[in-house]
Amino acid sequence: IIMLTSPNPDPYRDYRIAEKLPEVLEEMAVQAKHLQNISDYIAYTGGGRGNDTSVLDKMQRQLQDFIDDPEGIPSLLGSFNSNKSALGTWIIEKKSQPLEIDWIEWVPSGQEGRDGKETLWQSLSFGVRQFMASYTNDYSAAFGKDAVEVWTAAGRDQVQVLTRLIQEQFTDKTGIDVQLKLVQGGTVLPAVVSGIGPDVSLMNSNGEAINFASRKAATAVSDFEGFDEIAKQFHDSALVPLRLQGKTYGLPETQTFPVLFYRTDIFEEMGYQVPTTWTEAYNLMFELQKNNMEFGIPTGIFGYSLFLYQNNGQLYNADGSRCIIDNENGIQAFRQWTKYFSDFGMPMTYNFVNRFRSGEMPIGISDYTAYNTLVVFAPEIYDNWDIACVPGTVQADGSINRSVASTGTCSILFSASDNKENAWKFLQWWCGSDAQQAYAREIEIRLGASARYATANLVAFDNLMWTPKQLSVLKEQKKSVMGVPETPGGYFTSRHIENSFRKVVLNSTDVKETLVEYCELINLEIAEKRDELNIGKEE
């Protein structure tokens, strides 16, 4: 229907859906009947209609309305997508609803079980005890006071899993106690500044390591014994954002990177081929637009970095003191990137998961963790999509450069810690393959596929619950992953790449002049920030 009407149909146009798509209306009738039968069965076994049947009934009525009035379909596509999403959520809830048991009682034959109703006194007593427990239980910390103090802003389920693993796999074996605290996001920085921060902070964005390091607040983990051994467990790109002036100020926890998602059902129906180069992708975009569909290309610094690295460019010079995207490689990459938006009118902001599941965007580049979302929240297309390596740029020797930029989280050891040796041993354990693999499996078992952990540890990554085909694609793409360096003042880089992108696409300004102009602003900010923090000067 979208291929016929486009995602934004003209409400005054007669699309003659009944004539052009009779098989679609026939299938709607079949599915409406299925929904009606399921709803009737649930109502019969459950004692009537209610919340369990309302979603089914709403979708069934809408399909029946479409059959009765096909020309009204275009104006209701938005509500149809909403109802379809609600139905997907309903399916997930019904698959995962828990079995709740108050008690199990064995009753001898001929005798009666006890009365399940509690007395007023029992109810009041339980409520008082539950209220008092909320004041006496410390949910934010575990273990003793003389311990390595570790803070994290992860979810409560993640903390519970991590607490148990620390006790069983670290404290019991090393004798080093760990005090794990669950804190709110943004708590670490003011705590460190005020001198009451932890020894270690987990699950920080990569940029935080250099923010603290440039202010002498983070310890260089590369100075500790055993760093070279633990560093071998990561792809070198995962360590790039954690380096400053030749030293490394954190250990990677997670690393994510883009892959190509595509709808196998649509590609098979339309006879499309999955593109391996940007030339093939460019040709595919013509075919998609003929049928009112789009190719999802990322924007922002990670969208630009994809083309920059494939054109053998870099964001910064060797010591991070200057942004160098105004050279020939940087300008060529920027021109290639922006032309897809100026030539094809690709959307600059979009919800990839929603458009992918509806078919409006049957192919697109997105972080591979979008897999977790699609598996859980788009059950209606479960077997109708797959992943592949991103399209690459053909090099002079005929090879294909598929480089992509990565991001992730890291652990930081703070300079103010007076327990650095034990804190370092904890970091070695936590970022090692055994702990990462155990944590990843526990989290997925507890929370489902949507919580699949994107560990940066190479050994642990190979042992996650990917299918052999998916793991093959991810490992192949990982060979071409590039780390995005972090530098003081680098926040201007992402900001002005976005500004120059919008100026070129929306105002049709000259690519070279625009990029050179904003690159000068970036370098001014980097120079000021390095001067402020006394970086790159002789001590």
Side-chain angles (χ1 to χ4, degrees):
I1 293 173
I2 291 174
M3 288 192 291
L4 176 65
T5 67
S6 83
N8 301 299
D10 183 350
Y12 302 106
R13 178 179 172 183
D14 184 356
Y15 288 97
R16 296 187 295 168
I17 291 178
E19 298 177 25
K20 295 183 178 181
L21 300 174
E23 70 283 358
V24 172
L25 297 180
E26 293 173 4
E27 184 62 24
M28 284 182 177
V30 172
Q31 298 304 325
K33 185 63 177 177
H34 286 327
L35 289 169
Q36 184 65 57
N37 290 339
I38 296 170
S39 177
D40 290 344
Y41 177 77
I42 293 175
Y44 173 74
T45 57
R49 300 188 182 279
N51 291 334
D52 286 340
T53 60
S54 61
V55 174
L56 301 172
D57 293 338
K58 190 173 183 179
M59 183 60 118
Q60 187 272 335
R61 285 195 299 270
Q62 184 167 49
L63 289 178
Q64 191 59 53
D65 289 343
F66 286 173
I67 296 168
D68 296 338
D69 181 22
E71 294 311 316
I73 294 177
S75 61
L76 295 173
L77 284 178
S79 65
F80 175 74
N81 280 331
S82 298
N83 289 336
K84 187 170 62 173
S85 298
L87 184 59
T89 302
W90 182 90
I91 293 172
I92 295 166
E93 290 174 350
K94 298 310 167 192
K95 284 184 176 181
S96 61
Q97 59 182 331
L99 174 64
E100 296 182 355
I101 300 176
D102 291 318
W103 74 84
I104 297 178
E105 184 177 0
W106 299 93
V107 182
S109 177
Q111 297 185 23
E112 293 184 0
R114 68 184 179 91
D115 187 359
K117 297 180 180 179
E118 62 181 356
T119 65
L120 177 62
W121 171 248
Q122 289 174 326
S123 178
L124 289 173
S125 175
F126 176 77
V128 170
R129 285 185 283 113
Q130 187 179 42
F131 176 74
M132 295 304 297
S134 67
Y135 286 94
T136 57
N137 289 344
D138 185 1
Y139 294 103
S140 65
F143 308 109
K145 295 181 179 179
D146 299 326
V148 176
E149 188 171 348
V150 179
W151 288 13
T152 179
R156 192 169 299 278
D157 288 312
Q158 285 83 349
V159 170
Q160 289 175 348
V161 170
L162 182 54
T163 297
R164 187 174 61 79
L165 291 177
I166 289 173
Q167 184 62 45
E168 294 177 356
Q169 297 189 10
F170 181 72
T171 300
D172 288 351
K173 293 181 180 180
T174 65
I176 300 172
D177 208 3
V178 176
Q179 185 182 21
L180 180 66
K181 290 187 175 181
L182 174 60
V183 299
Q184 290 184 343
T187 304
V188 175
L189 177 59
V192 171
V193 171
S194 60
I196 57 172
D199 298 307
V200 171
S201 177
L202 306 182
M203 303 178 188
N204 312 275
S205 65
N206 281 340
E208 291 301 301
I210 300 306
N211 283 338
F212 284 112
S214 62
R215 293 163 175 81
K216 307 295 189 290
T219 297
V221 295
S222 53
D223 291 340
F224 287 94
E225 182 179 354
F227 172 77
D228 291 338
E229 287 71 22
I230 190 70
K232 293 176 183 177
Q233 298 188 33
F234 310 107
H235 195 282
D236 186 67
S237 60
L239 294 166
V240 169
L242 310 178
R243 291 176 181 150
L244 180 66
Q245 293 186 294
K247 293 189 175 184
T248 305
Y249 289 89
L251 287 183
E253 294 175 334
T254 64
Q255 184 182 26
T256 63
F257 49 87
V259 295
L260 184 69
F261 289 81
Y262 65 99
R263 287 283 298 268
T264 53
D265 55 342
I266 295 176
F267 269 59
E268 181 179 350
E269 180 182 347
M270 303 301 296
Y272 298 149
Q273 297 295 318
V274 179
T276 58
T277 68
W278 282 107
T279 300
E280 295 175 2
Y282 193 84
N283 294 331
L284 176 62
M285 291 176 196
F286 280 106
E287 297 301 320
L288 290 172
Q289 289 211 328
K290 288 179 183 177
N291 293 294
N292 297 311
M293 294 184 288
E294 298 170 329
F295 192 121
I297 298 178
T299 57
I301 188 171
F302 285 97
Y304 174 56
S305 295
L306 185 152
F307 294 93
L308 179 66
Y309 291 136
Q310 289 189 8
N311 281 275
N312 303 305
Q314 295 290 331
L315 281 173
Y316 306 104
N317 60 0
D319 64 357
S321 61
R322 283 188 59 80
C323 178
I324 56 174
I325 59 175
D326 57 348
N327 61 18
E328 183 179 350
N329 290 340
I331 293 171
Q332 171 59 28
F334 198 84
R335 181 175 288 111
Q336 181 184 359
W337 177 45
T338 54
K339 82 172 182 179
Y340 294 112
F341 296 89
S342 56
D343 289 2
F344 293 99
M346 294 295 179
M348 293 186 288
T349 57
Y350 56 89
N351 185 309
F352 173 70
V353 171
N354 284 343
R355 293 201 181 192
F356 187 74
R357 75 188 295 186
S358 69
E360 298 172 53
M361 190 175 282
I363 183 170
I365 297 171
S366 184
D367 194 291
Y368 81 81
T369 54
Y371 169 90
N372 303 354
T373 306
L374 286 167
V375 165
V376 176
F377 294 105
E380 71 275 13
I381 60 169
Y382 183 79
D383 294 320
N384 296 326
W385 60 273
D386 210 340
I387 59 174
C389 293
V390 301
T393 301
V394 180
Q395 307 296 293
D397 60 0
S399 62
I400 300 177
N401 186 339
R402 298 180 181 273
S403 296
V404 294
S406 69
T407 186
T409 60
C410 67
S411 300
I412 303 172
L413 199 165
F414 293 102
S415 302
S417 170
D418 56 4
N419 199 7
K420 288 187 176 64
E421 288 300 325
N422 285 343
W424 169 241
K425 290 177 182 178
F426 170 78
L427 282 183
Q428 286 179 293
W429 167 81
W430 164 238
C431 294
S433 58
D434 291 342
Q436 287 288 296
Q437 184 172 323
Y439 177 79
R441 288 186 174 180
E442 289 275 354
I443 288 298
E444 185 161 354
I445 289 171
R446 177 176 288 215
L447 301 178
S450 63
R452 184 166 298 172
Y453 184 60
T455 178
N457 188 286
L458 296 175
V459 176
F461 182 84
D462 289 346
N463 288 282
L464 296 182
M465 299 180 196
W466 300 104
T467 66
K469 182 180 179 182
Q470 292 164 348
L471 183 60
S472 175
V473 172
L474 292 173
K475 291 179 71 173
E476 182 64 27
Q477 184 62 72
K478 201 163 193 174
K479 294 177 182 177
S480 303
V481 167
M482 305 288 286
V484 179
E486 294 286 346
T487 189
Y491 49 83
F492 251 47
T493 306
S494 57
R495 185 181 306 173
H496 284 314
I497 284 176
E498 183 70 25
N499 289 339
S500 54
F501 168 80
R502 292 185 177 276
K503 195 170 183 179
V504 168
V505 174
L506 299 178
N507 298 337
S508 301
T509 59
D510 181 75
V511 169
K512 183 176 181 178
E513 290 181 3
T514 303
L515 203 58
V516 168
E517 174 190 351
Y518 280 109
C519 193
E520 290 178 358
L521 296 175
I522 294 169
N523 285 324
L524 284 173
E525 182 66 18
I526 291 175
E528 289 181 8
K529 187 60 65 175
R530 289 173 70 88
D531 183 62
E532 173 191 334
L533 299 172
N534 200 33
I535 296 175
K537 298 180 180 180
E538 295 293 336
E539 296 291 341

